[in-house]
Amino acid sequence: MASGNAIRGSRVGAGPMGEAERGESAPRLRVSFWCSNGHETEPSFASDAQVPETWDCPRCGFPAGQDRDNPPDPPRTEPYKTHLAYVRERRSDADGEAILAEALAKLRGEI
């Protein structure tokens, strides 16, 4: 004998209605984009929507363009810099020596 729950195993919205229940789908346009690694992506857009010039490649994350032979360049990433590297960009070795001498003089009580 079956239990008293008649909709067991169904999900909300499941049924035979299909598109009549949800409405008609908008006309679609598939556009191909290629990244610098040669990956092709084909997102679909509504036919009346404005197609972007670039699209992010879902495989490698690089920007992809619509020209297969001339894809956009990958973004240039700067390597991680330490605090000391930034200080060395701003100060010369002579400036560093002068600051160190001043700080040591303060510690020794000479100033």
Side-chain angles (χ1 to χ4, degrees):
M1 188 183 286
S3 67
N5 192 350
I7 62 169
R8 185 175 183 190
S10 295
R11 60 184 174 85
V12 175
M17 293 297 288
E19 285 203 11
E21 186 176 279
R22 293 188 301 266
E24 302 243 348
S25 296
R28 294 287 188 184
L29 172 69
R30 292 187 75 77
V31 179
S32 292
F33 290 90
W34 288 272
C35 70
S36 59
N37 288 332
H39 302 140
E40 181 183 8
T41 305
E42 261 191 307
S44 63
F45 300 95
S47 61
D48 59 345
Q50 183 178 358
V51 178
E53 291 183 21
T54 60
W55 192 261
D56 288 340
C57 177
R59 292 179 65 188
C60 63
F62 287 173
Q66 295 180 33
D67 186 4
R68 182 181 202 158
D69 298 327
N70 191 15
D73 293 329
R76 186 170 182 265
T77 56
E78 299 270 333
Y80 174 76
K81 288 186 184 178
T82 63
H83 175 71
L84 182 58
Y86 283 110
V87 170
R88 285 186 174 162
E89 283 180 0
R90 292 192 317 264
R91 308 245 190 237
S92 67
D93 287 341
D95 291 340
E97 291 293 329
I99 292 171
L100 178 62
E102 182 182 335
L104 289 175
K106 279 185 184 178
L107 284 175
R108 293 181 182 137
E110 296 172 5
I111 294 181

